[in-house]
Amino acid sequence: MSKKFTVAICGGGVGGLVCAIVLSQYSDIQVDIYEAANQFSEIGAGIGMWPRTWKIMQALGLDHDLAEVAIVPPNGVPQVAFTFRKGDQAEGRNFYALNTPGGLISIHRAHFQSTLLRHLPSSCNAHTRKRLVSYTQPARRTRRSMAGAAALPKVTLYFQDGTTAFCDVLLGADGVKSNVRTSMMKEMASLARAQGDAAQAEVFMRAAPARWSGTSAYRAVIPAEKLRSLVPGHRVLTHPMIYFGKDTQITVYPIAHGTLINFAAFRARYDLENTTLDAPWVQDVPRDELLRDFHEWEPEVQALLQCVQTPSRWAVHTSAPLGAFTFGRVALVGDAAHAMMPYQGSGAGQAVEDAYVLATLLGHPSTSIATLPRALQIYDAVRRPFAQHVAKVSRDNGLLFTMNYPGLTLESPGEDVPRKLAELSSRIKKKWEWAWESSVDDDVERAVRMLEEAASRS
Ligand SMILES: Cc1cc2nc3c(=O)[nH]c(=O)nc-3n(C[C@H](O)[C@H](O)[C@H](O)COP(=O)(O)OP(=O)(O)OC[C@H]3O[C@@H](n4cnc5c(N)ncnc54)[C@H](O)[C@@H]3O)c2cc1C
């Protein structure tokens, strides 16, 4: 079948692979995916997924294979997704059960990735060792010149190995350090400068690099057997937990059918938020560093820390809220568009939503090579406000988890701690509800309606 256009996806993480899977369902679109690493692989430990994302997995027919490797509570049935516990004291105490329909779906990242790869059709050309450095696209064309759209010049991709490739649409799914985002911001800045708006150009340039959030995350996977041998009935063996502390927080939950425990311990320095970190973003650190940071915590947390062999310390980076996820025939997806704090376990879920909405728009029969920018602008209009809202509430939840939220800081000893913890819990739930109370279907319907209305007007 002849192809209506070619799509290049830069980056083979969650966002890039889901884009490729959805787009490959349309036989009139040629898909190439370019990954910088030697092979498609996932780093990190577990990944939490909420019903909003799970419904997309079902729509794509991935749910059965994922259920083989994930912990999937019964659909829609109320579950304790996380128990909240104050842990930064000699004797911890539970203070809230976050009950949600469908609970938390938890998966080992490597299992998630290998399932996605298995579902990548052979029609999609997958290229590894292809690190994109930058791209160029032809200057925007007027409506009149679109008459010759079939011969529209290609977007050119430049790779670190000196090679180039061409496409009609480029999707930047290259993560928080995105080179596609940097190229796009430069393009937008140079247009603003050409239009005499130096201040706007400066805004675009400032949005290009990722920013350190001031937060570090110690990440590890703990063998459940090891924890069981230390504390046979440890609650984390069966229950996802969020431990709260001043400027610190720990999220732990079972993965791989309970044989492993995903461990992430956070230390927040909000005074350093949005600064530049002059050190490696990810590094293995001695366990003593982790023990030192959490030495005042309760015994059940100490047991978890004892089970961590070599933690890796991640400097959590975010991206500035962008004024656009798309420019011309280039669009950003996932962390490249909206790298966020991990306090709602939703960065990957939002990448999946981007991919699903965008690929649906590109695959729609009314999208042709001539109308590509219009489809991308509708993607931007639908996805940008939502993803940026999730980024905002994820940050808010971090302030609440680490007792930095204005008015709820638990600073002085005489405070009404139970009341404040109750208030913290109710705010966290309210900010997180979108993940299990809403569906992406409404956004997909809205996006398709906008596309069809635009097509009928032109
Ligand atoms: C501590 C922590 C815990 C988290 N927990 C959760 C969770 O429970 N649930 C959740 O949904 N999210 C979670 N997240 C967020 C989630 O990991 C990310 O949002 C998600 O991985 C983003 O996917 P992505 O495909 O956009 O980017 P990435 O996963 O970063 O993938 C980008 C890909 O692009 C490749 N690449 C990079 N540069 C180039 C280039 N120049 N050329 C070609 N390829 C390139 C990379 O090698 C990589 O394969 C967490 C994050 C952190 C830090």
Side-chain angles (χ1 to χ4, degrees):
M1 180 178 205
S2 74
K3 305 290 179 186
K4 65 176 181 178
F5 49 73
T6 57
V7 179
I9 301 166
C10 172
V14 171
L17 287 177
V18 176
C19 269
I21 290 169
V22 191
L23 281 170
S24 299
Q25 293 176 350
Y26 302 98
S27 52
D28 55 353
I29 298 179
Q30 174 60 51
V31 184
D32 284 82
I33 182 163
Y34 298 94
E35 164 57 44
N38 293 349
Q39 56 185 32
F40 292 89
S41 65
E42 259 290 337
I43 41 175
I47 200 155
M49 196 184 277
W50 297 102
R52 192 169 150 116
T53 313
W54 186 249
K55 282 183 197 151
I56 300 178
M57 297 296 114
Q58 289 174 315
L60 296 178
L62 298 171
D63 54 323
H64 292 294
D65 284 1
L66 284 174
E68 298 283 312
V69 288
I71 298 176
V72 188
N75 213 349
V77 177
Q79 298 279 324
V80 178
F82 280 109
T83 299
F84 293 177
R85 184 174 171 88
K86 189 151 183 321
D88 62 339
Q89 53 204 39
E91 211 175 307
R93 82 179 175 89
N94 289 2
F95 61 90
Y96 187 70
L98 179 69
N99 229 295
T100 68
L104 175 77
I105 295 134
S106 52
I107 319 176
H108 195 297
R109 278 175 187 261
H111 297 163
F112 186 31
Q113 167 119 25
S114 60
T115 306
L116 293 178
L117 282 172
R118 265 206 318 282
H119 283 258
L120 193 66
S122 56
S123 61
C124 167
N125 300 319
H127 314 262
T128 51
R129 298 174 203 230
K130 285 288 172 193
R131 178 172 296 281
L132 182 127
V133 178
S134 64
Y135 73 81
T136 52
Q137 62 176 324
R140 298 230 237 186
R141 306 181 69 168
T142 61
R143 188 179 282 273
R144 183 181 298 232
S145 67
M146 281 294 195
L152 212 55
K154 303 275 183 192
V155 179
T156 308
L157 318 186
Y158 301 92
F159 296 104
Q160 199 173 42
D161 62 4
T163 59
T164 50
F166 303 94
C167 64
D168 296 310
V169 195
L170 168 62
L171 307 184
D174 50 344
V176 61
K177 291 184 186 171
S178 175
N179 283 349
V180 178
R181 181 177 65 233
T182 302
S183 271
M184 184 191 283
M185 291 303 125
K186 283 185 183 162
E187 252 196 304
M188 291 166 83
S190 83
L191 180 65
R193 254 180 247 114
Q195 292 169 341
D197 195 343
Q200 184 58 55
E202 185 54 33
V203 171
F204 289 135
M205 289 315 292
R206 271 204 306 270
R211 319 166 302 178
W212 186 35
S213 63
T215 292
S216 300
Y218 297 98
R219 302 173 84 180
V221 177
I222 297 174
E225 261 326 301
K226 193 167 179 186
L227 181 60
R228 194 172 284 114
S229 68
L230 269 185
V231 182
H234 199 294
R235 66 183 94 231
V236 168
L237 290 166
T238 47
H239 289 95
M241 294 292 298
I242 296 180
Y243 293 93
F244 288 57
K246 178 66 190 160
D247 298 328
T248 41
Q249 185 263 325
I250 300 178
T251 300
V252 254
Y253 51 85
I255 51 173
H257 291 304
T259 56
L260 299 170
I261 307 291
N262 179 57
F263 173 94
F266 299 87
R267 170 159 288 285
R269 285 278 311 270
Y270 284 100
D271 57 319
L272 296 176
E273 190 176 26
N274 298 338
T275 58
T276 305
L277 180 72
D278 193 18
W281 289 17
V282 181
Q283 53 185 321
D284 287 346
V285 293
R287 186 173 55 178
D288 284 353
E289 183 182 317
L290 173 66
L291 295 176
R292 216 175 26 246
D293 271 1
F294 291 86
H295 74 278
E296 286 174 343
W297 285 54
E298 60 167 321
E300 69 176 62
V301 171
Q302 296 305 327
L304 285 166
L305 303 182
Q306 290 303 328
C307 294
V308 174
Q309 273 301 334
T310 314
S312 56
R313 190 184 59 214
W314 293 56
V316 180
H317 279 70
T318 63
S319 52
L322 301 180
F325 284 180
T326 176
F327 188 71
R329 286 187 277 133
V330 180
L332 302 173
V333 168
D335 278 9
H338 45 67
M340 60 185 70
M341 298 303 287
Y343 291 111
Q344 291 199 342
S346 293
Q350 285 303 290
V352 169
E353 288 191 32
D354 289 345
Y356 189 56
V357 173
L358 179 52
T360 304
L361 287 166
L362 293 178
H364 191 277
S366 77
T367 302
S368 65
I369 195 163
T371 63
L372 278 170
R374 180 171 76 198
L376 299 185
Q377 278 156 20
I378 293 172
Y379 160 71
D380 177 74
V382 171
R383 284 296 306 147
R384 189 159 51 88
F386 194 90
Q388 290 181 343
H389 170 73
V390 175
K392 184 198 170 302
V393 286
S394 295
R395 178 182 179 276
D396 288 349
N397 270 14
L399 292 170
L400 289 157
F401 286 164
T402 59
M403 317 227 173
N404 277 288
Y405 197 84
L408 292 171
T409 51
L410 290 187
E411 244 24 295
S412 55
E415 286 178 307
D416 183 358
V417 175
R419 186 194 62 77
K420 282 202 169 175
L421 291 178
E423 175 67 21
L424 278 173
S425 311
S426 103
R427 286 196 190 219
I428 289 168
K429 185 171 189 188
K430 191 106 211 92
K431 287 173 187 291
W432 215 339
E433 264 168 9
W434 64 269
W436 49 84
E437 298 285 346
S438 66
S439 154
V440 77
D441 293 346
D442 298 339
D443 293 342
V444 173
E445 273 171 34
R446 188 158 58 93
V448 169
R449 202 168 47 245
M450 287 165 76
L451 193 68
E452 289 172 351
E453 282 168 7
S456 69
R457 279 197 303 273
S458 61

